[in-house]
Amino acid sequence: MNRLKKFLGGLYATYILLLFSATVIILFIPLYATWLFKEPYRNRIFVTIGRGWMAVFMPLIGCPMRRKGLENFKAGQTYVLTCNHNSFMDILVATSSIPGSNKTLAKKSMGNIPVFGPIYRLGAILVNRKDEDSRKQSYIRMKEALHQGIHILLYPEGTRNRTDKPIKPFYDGAFSLAIDTQLPLLPSVLFHTRNILPAGGFYAWPHAVEYHFLPPIDTKGMTRDDIPALKERVFNIMLAHYVAHEKTPPTSR
């Protein structure tokens, strides 16, 4: 990377950070006020506000969002979604793009950030992955959210993909959850968030974002013995879709 682009990328990252901070402050009261409501209404209001927030924020930073495959969501059906994970931008984009109420699983430490932390806790079920009891409680909370009609979005790679591979190997969590609840699993694929905010260093660059929702997979009748096969099937579906569409021009729907 030449020095000029690195300098401009640093300025752009500063712009994103300042604008994000300003919008968090502006929306803090209405977002925090959603704590007055019980679930699932709390999440429904939160996601609605967040969707409007990102509809303004993303174009302002030169990163319009485009979705494809919304027809794969059936009205009244709750899903466990899987998504690839490349950037801190992923949660902002995915939460605001998924139709209907949704939550994700996230690191507990993120909930301790001043101002942003309480808002983060609204859209996520927090877990300390090093604490077995915390992992068990988060799993129970995810099942409760699904029972309330709230989609659960999980990143089966576990952490951001810092490798040169399109998608990292998957953990079992998302597939266990879908099978245990007998709910359909809906693969989804995010494109270009790594171009905007790559891991490592204070650097960013504008780029359009695409989020593709793929046909759901029915898990009725499956048991935990089917986890390895289901995990491999979803991995292959997401990998093939990512490779096939990564370099294509953005499309809108």
Side-chain angles (χ1 to χ4, degrees):
M1 183 188 303
N2 62 53
R3 291 184 179 181
L4 178 59
K5 187 170 183 178
K6 186 175 182 179
F7 173 73
L8 293 176
L11 287 180
Y12 175 62
T14 302
Y15 167 66
I16 290 178
L17 180 61
L18 291 176
L19 184 61
F20 182 78
S21 301
T23 53
V24 166
I25 292 171
I26 292 171
L27 292 172
F28 181 80
I29 293 177
L31 283 170
Y32 197 73
T34 61
W35 281 109
L36 299 173
F37 300 88
K38 293 183 178 180
E39 296 287 18
Y41 306 106
R42 177 193 301 160
N43 183 262
R44 190 177 303 167
I45 297 168
F46 168 78
V47 169
T48 299
I49 296 173
R51 192 169 289 127
W53 177 15
M54 289 299 110
V56 174
F57 175 76
M58 294 299 287
L60 283 178
I61 63 172
C63 302
M65 300 187 298
R66 300 178 176 92
R67 299 181 294 176
K68 183 178 181 180
L70 293 176
E71 69 277 3
N72 289 314
F73 285 86
K74 181 180 177 181
Q77 178 65 62
T78 306
Y79 297 92
V80 175
L81 289 93
T82 57
C83 183
N84 55 317
H85 194 11
N86 288 320
S87 168
F88 281 127
M89 298 291 295
D90 295 345
I91 292 178
L92 297 177
V93 172
T95 299
S96 60
S97 297
I98 296 171
S101 301
N102 66 89
K103 282 180 176 284
T104 188
L105 185 69
K107 291 191 298 184
K108 187 176 182 179
S109 58
M110 295 292 288
N112 299 325
I113 300 174
V115 182
F116 179 65
I119 296 174
Y120 192 82
R121 291 198 297 270
L122 285 166
I125 293 170
L126 304 185
V127 61
N128 178 357
R129 293 188 176 92
K130 297 180 180 179
D131 187 315
E132 183 178 354
D133 185 61
S134 178
R135 294 197 303 270
K136 290 180 179 178
Q137 289 302 313
S138 67
Y139 197 77
I140 292 172
R141 289 184 62 197
M142 286 192 292
K143 292 173 71 173
E144 290 174 345
L146 288 166
H147 182 71
Q148 293 170 331
I150 299 172
H151 305 307
I152 293 294
L153 169 69
L154 295 174
Y155 299 95
E157 293 168 288
T159 58
R160 286 176 296 156
N161 184 1
R162 296 170 180 264
T163 73
D164 57 357
K165 297 180 180 179
I167 298 178
K168 294 194 303 181
F170 288 169
Y171 290 97
D172 291 351
F175 312 98
S176 300
L177 183 64
I179 288 175
D180 286 350
T181 57
Q182 293 290 279
L183 290 172
L185 189 147
L186 195 152
S188 64
V189 182
L190 263 175
F191 297 92
H192 312 308
T193 54
R194 184 186 296 190
N195 298 90
I196 299 171
L197 198 64
F202 191 69
Y203 174 87
W205 203 256
H207 202 296
V209 177
E210 287 216 18
Y211 195 15
H212 294 188
F213 302 106
L214 310 184
I217 298 170
D218 189 7
T219 65
K220 287 183 180 178
M222 290 187 184
T223 68
R224 288 208 167 197
D225 291 338
D226 296 303
I227 289 175
L230 178 61
K231 181 171 65 173
E232 182 179 6
R233 179 181 175 185
V234 173
F235 178 86
N236 289 334
I237 288 171
M238 291 174 60
L239 177 62
H241 190 85
Y242 186 93
V243 172
H245 295 82
E246 181 186 15
K247 296 181 189 252
T248 57
T251 56
S252 60
R253 182 183 187 276

